[in-house]
Amino acid sequence: MSEIKNIISEWQGIMIDRDGWNALYLENHDQSRSVSRWGSDLPQFRVACAKMFATFMALQSGTVFIYQGQELGMINLSRERDIGEYRDLETLDRWKEVTERYPRDKRYHEITLEEFQKKSRDHARTPMQWDTTSHAGSSTAEPWQRVNSTYRTCNAAAQVGVSDSVFEFWASILKLRKSHKDVFVYGDFELVDAANEHVFAYIRTSEAREVVLVASNFRTHEAELCLPESWKLRKDGLLISNFGDLIVRSGGVVTLRPFEEFACLVEK
C-alpha cells in the first residue's frame, strides 16, 4: 500500500504542477483483472471490490481508461482451468521452462501455476461477457479461447439498467466526475492518513476551495481511517458510496467495511 501511495501521489502531483496529463488505468490486454489481482473475486466481495476500484481510479486527475469487462467487474479465469487451455505465449514459455528445468519439483510447479492464475495475460483476453448465450454472446464462431465460466452471472445483459450493478455504478462515478470536474479532473491532490496500510484515501480540492475526501478500503476486513480532528464530513455531502452510509466515530475515525469506498464533501 505504501508503494502504490507513493507512486500515485507522485504522478498526480507532477502532472498537476507541470501542466501534464495522466492516463488512468488498472486493466488492459496485458494485465490480469484488477478485482482478482489486487482485491478479492470471492462471490461475497466481487461487486463491492469492483466498485471500490472504480472510485479509487476514476476520481483521480487524468483520462480514465476502462478496459472491456472492467465495467462489469469481470474476474480472472477459474483456478480449475488447465494450463493446456492457456494461449498466452509468455505464460506457456514460462511453464515449459519451469517444467523442463525442474521436472520433479512439484511444489515449484504449484507456485508457478498460482502465479499464472493471478497474473497471466489470458485473464484479460477471454471473450467479452455480453449475455448467457453461447460463447457469452461474443461470437457465433468458436472463440480463440474458451469464455470465462463466470459469464452466466457476470454479463452486460444482467447489469445494464440494473440498480446496484457494477455497470450502473461505473455510470454513476463517471457522471459524478463530470459534474464535479473542477474538483476531480482539475483539482489538487493530497494523500490522507498516508501511513495507513489498508485504506487509500485522498482529498481533491478545487480552486474555489471545494474539498472532497475519497477513501477506499482495499481489504477483506474492516479498516479505520483517521482524519484530522478539525475536519468534518458533511452530513449532506456523501457524493457516492457502495454501502450507502458512513460509520464515523468520535475523534475523526471512519470505519470502512470490506472494500468500502466513498467520496464525501469535507469542511476543513
Side-chain angles (χ1 to χ4, degrees), residues 26 31 55 57 71 78 80 96 105 122 144 214 224:
L26 289 174
Q31 307 287 334
T55 300
M57 183 181 76
E71 75 278 19
S78 168
E80 283 70 45
K96 181 180 179 182
D105 194 340
D122 272 346
W144 84 302
V214 181
E224 293 184 344

Side-chain angles (χ1 to χ4, degrees), residues 25-28 32-35 46-55 57-58 64-75 124 126-131 136 153-174:
Y25 72 93
L26 289 174
E27 297 183 16
N28 60 37
S32 57
R33 297 293 182 177
S34 53
V35 170
R46 182 189 66 84
V47 171
C49 185
K51 293 177 179 179
M52 183 276 290
F53 279 122
T55 300
M57 183 181 76
V64 178
F65 290 85
I66 308 172
Y67 182 68
Q68 60 178 27
Q70 184 179 357
E71 75 278 19
L72 305 177
M74 281 179 60
I75 63 176
T126 55
M128 176 64 181
Q129 295 170 200
W130 295 105
D131 53 39
T153 55
C154 178
N155 60 72
Q159 294 195 32
V160 176
V162 177
S163 147
D164 292 331
S165 69
V166 177
F167 180 91
E168 292 302 330
F169 187 87
W170 263 108
S172 297
I173 201 75
L174 294 176

Side-chain angles (χ1 to χ4, degrees), residues 1 5 90 194 207 235 259:
M1 180 62 76
K5 285 184 177 182
E90 184 179 75
E207 287 188 355
K235 292 183 179 180
F259 296 113

Side-chain angles (χ1 to χ4, degrees), residues 130-189:
W130 295 105
D131 53 39
T132 59
T133 61
S134 179
H135 309 314
S138 65
S139 174
T140 56
E142 188 75 21
W144 84 302
Q145 182 175 196
R146 182 162 60 93
V147 68
N148 192 318
S149 60
T150 60
Y151 80 96
R152 294 178 182 87
T153 55
C154 178
N155 60 72
Q159 294 195 32
V160 176
V162 177
S163 147
D164 292 331
S165 69
V166 177
F167 180 91
E168 292 302 330
F169 187 87
W170 263 108
S172 297
I173 201 75
L174 294 176
K175 183 178 180 180
L176 175 64
R177 174 185 173 85
K178 185 175 182 179
S179 65
H180 290 71
K181 62 183 180 181
D182 289 346
V183 179
F184 297 125
V185 180
Y186 302 112
D188 290 334
F189 176 98

Side-chain angles (χ1 to χ4, degrees), residues 4-5 7-9 11-13 16 21-26 52-64 173 177 181 183-189 191 200 202-204 214 216 218:
I4 194 172
K5 285 184 177 182
I7 292 170
I8 290 177
S9 182
W11 280 98
Q12 288 288 299
I16 292 171
W21 200 245
N22 279 302
L24 304 173
Y25 72 93
L26 289 174
M52 183 276 290
F53 279 122
T55 300
F56 159 74
M57 183 181 76
L59 300 187
Q60 296 178 38
S61 180
T63 296
V64 178
I173 201 75
R177 174 185 173 85
K181 62 183 180 181
V183 179
F184 297 125
V185 180
Y186 302 112
D188 290 334
F189 176 98
L191 284 176
F200 195 113
Y202 55 89
I203 56 170
R204 304 301 312 275
V214 181
S216 301
F218 273 57

